[in-house]
């Protein structure tokens, strides 16, 4: 009976031992699998961490480069702003100069327009005053802002003489009426001849004749008709400014003339121009 009981107890212990070992082996296998999984996960995390560290280093390098670029751009921007300020100041100066130049041009243009109007009025007045004389005796024209009255030698003088005829004095008297009313004009008296040589007791050549004829006209205007002598300037051109061919009698007749050239005074125009030149360059 005791043997049977002992056998049963041994059998029970063996069975219990087998069950416990089996459970242990299963638990151990599960634990190892968990360790392997955790080890794999740890490896993945480390790899991910290494990758992120590399990215962080790259981002730091990029950030440093970007910071350097930003500082360079800021420096360039600062330099450009300085240059921009200089350009703006220069532009402002040029605008002021342009405005001054435009104002000068407008003033000069106004004066030129006024001068042209004076010439137009002067031309009309001279034509009206000399209306009773033929074109063979004299002609009136406007050129380059001046009024030209060309009186033939037949109207003013006898051949080879500087003494004025009565008809010539009459024409000068009509012209003097205009000059005495318009005292703000300059008057130039020019004597002209043909190319035929002259040599007399009074005149050595055509230069002498042209000069004396011009001064004879000046004397009549001043002494007989009261024209201001400060307005008048005589000169002799001789044969050297012909208006026609000296090879024909008709051409030589046209070349023997006394021209009275009238132009409004330009003193104010020159004063403004000189004044502006002191401030800006007038081209």
């Amino acid at each position: 009976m005791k043997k049977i009981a002992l056998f049963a107890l041994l059998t029970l212990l063996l069975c219990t031992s087998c069950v416990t070992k089996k459970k242990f082996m299963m638990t151990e296998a599960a634990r190892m699998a968990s360790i392997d999984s955790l080890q794999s996960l740890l490896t993945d995390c480390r790899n991910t961490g290494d990758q992120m560290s590399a990215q962080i280093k790259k981002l730091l390098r990029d950030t440093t480069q970007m910071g350097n670029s930003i500082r360079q751009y800021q420096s360039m921007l600062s330099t450009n702003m300085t240059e921009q300020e200089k350009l703006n100041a220069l532009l402002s100066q040029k605008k002021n100069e342009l405005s001054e130049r435009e104002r000068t041009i407008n003033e000069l243009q106004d004066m030129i327009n006024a001068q042209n109007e004076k010439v137009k009025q002067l031309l009309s007045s001279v034509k009206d005053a000399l209306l009773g004389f033929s074109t063979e005796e004299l002609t009136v024209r406007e050129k380059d802002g001046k009024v030209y009255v060309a009186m033939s030698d037949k109207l003013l003088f006898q051949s080879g003489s500087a003494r004025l005829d009565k008809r010539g004095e009459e024409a000068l008297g009509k012209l003097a009426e205009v000059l005495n009313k318009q005292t703000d004009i300059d008057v130039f008296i020019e004597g002209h001849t043909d190319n035929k040589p002259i040599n007399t007791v009074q005149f050595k050549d055509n230069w002498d004749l042209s000069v004396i004829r011009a001064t004879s006209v000046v004397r009549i205007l001043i002494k007989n008709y009261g024209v201001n002598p400060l307005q008048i300037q005589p000169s002799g051109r001789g044969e050297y400014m012909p208006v026609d061919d000296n090879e024909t009698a008709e051409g030589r007749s046209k070349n023997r003339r006394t021209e009275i050239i009238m132009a409004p005074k330009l003193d104010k125009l020159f004063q403004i121009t000189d004044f502006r030149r002191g401030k800006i360059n007038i081209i």
Side-chain angles (χ1 to χ4, degrees):
M1 187 68 179
K2 292 182 178 179
K3 291 182 179 179
I4 293 172
L6 180 62
F7 177 77
L9 178 61
L10 289 172
T11 302
L12 178 62
L13 290 171
L14 287 172
C15 291
T16 304
S17 175
C18 290
V19 172
T20 304
K21 184 176 182 180
K22 185 177 180 179
K23 288 183 177 180
F24 172 78
M25 292 299 293
M26 290 177 63
T27 302
E28 185 67 17
R31 186 179 69 82
M32 293 301 295
S34 177
I35 290 173
D36 290 341
S37 176
L38 290 173
Q39 187 67 40
S40 176
L41 181 61
L42 178 60
T43 301
D44 291 340
C45 289
R46 284 175 177 173
N47 291 336
T48 303
D50 292 340
Q51 292 176 358
M52 293 183 68
S53 295
Q55 289 182 354
I56 289 172
K57 290 180 180 180
K58 184 176 182 301
L59 289 173
L60 287 174
R61 288 195 301 270
D62 293 345
T63 301
T64 301
Q65 293 177 354
M66 186 174 294
N68 292 334
S69 298
I70 290 174
R71 283 187 287 273
Q72 290 178 356
Y73 291 148
Q74 287 176 337
S75 177
M76 292 173 62
L77 180 60
S78 177
T79 301
N80 288 338
M81 287 298 292
T82 302
E83 292 298 324
Q84 184 69 30
E85 291 173 358
K86 291 180 181 178
L87 290 174
N88 287 336
L90 182 60
L91 179 61
S92 178
Q93 178 185 350
K94 293 300 180 183
K95 284 183 177 179
N96 292 336
E97 290 181 1
L98 180 60
S99 298
E100 185 71 16
R101 184 180 296 241
E102 289 176 346
R103 187 163 69 90
T104 300
I105 290 173
N106 290 335
E107 289 182 12
L108 293 176
Q109 187 60 55
D110 290 343
M111 293 200 68
I112 290 172
N113 293 339
Q115 295 293 98
N116 291 336
E117 183 61 28
K118 286 183 180 180
V119 171
K120 182 179 179 180
Q121 294 176 0
L122 178 62
L123 179 64
S124 178
S125 299
V126 170
K127 284 184 175 181
D128 290 342
L130 301 176
L131 193 60
F133 297 88
S134 68
T135 55
E136 294 182 355
E137 293 176 315
L138 59 83
T139 58
V140 181
R141 64 190 176 95
E142 185 271 330
K143 180 182 177 183
D144 298 331
K146 299 177 182 179
V147 175
Y148 290 76
V149 179
M151 296 186 176
S152 68
D153 65 334
K154 292 181 180 180
L155 174 64
L156 295 177
F157 308 103
Q158 295 179 359
S159 179
S161 171
R163 184 176 180 180
L164 270 82
D165 288 340
K166 185 176 181 180
R167 180 73 170 165
E169 287 193 25
E170 180 184 348
L172 292 178
K174 297 291 185 182
L175 186 60
E177 292 178 4
V178 177
L179 298 179
N180 288 329
K181 291 178 182 179
Q182 301 191 35
T183 58
D184 59 341
I185 61 175
D186 291 318
V187 184
F188 303 90
I189 312 296
E190 292 185 351
H192 297 265
T193 69
D194 58 24
N195 64 345
K196 293 297 183 181
I198 184 173
N199 188 355
T200 66
V201 175
Q202 187 177 4
F203 310 113
K204 293 182 179 180
D205 51 30
N206 284 329
W207 280 113
D208 277 353
L209 178 60
S210 64
V211 171
I212 296 302
R213 281 183 169 179
T215 55
S216 296
V217 170
V218 170
R219 288 191 183 96
I220 293 297
L221 290 173
I222 293 173
K223 293 183 178 180
N224 292 10
Y225 300 109
V227 176
N228 184 357
L230 297 178
Q231 286 183 260
I232 306 177
Q233 179 177 326
S235 64
R237 298 286 190 175
E239 63 191 80
Y240 298 103
M241 294 185 68
V243 293
D244 210 329
D245 188 1
N246 272 313
E247 298 303 317
T248 65
E250 181 180 0
R252 289 192 295 272
S253 177
K254 292 181 180 179
N255 291 333
R256 297 189 298 269
R257 68 197 187 280
T258 298
E259 286 192 335
I260 301 173
I261 306 168
M262 293 161 283
K265 292 181 181 293
L266 300 177
D267 296 349
K268 292 182 179 180
L269 186 63
F270 291 143
Q271 288 173 0
I272 288 180
T273 304
D274 291 340
F275 174 72
R276 297 299 180 201
R277 280 202 181 105
K279 302 176 69 175
I280 59 174
N281 293 325
I282 297 179
I283 301 175

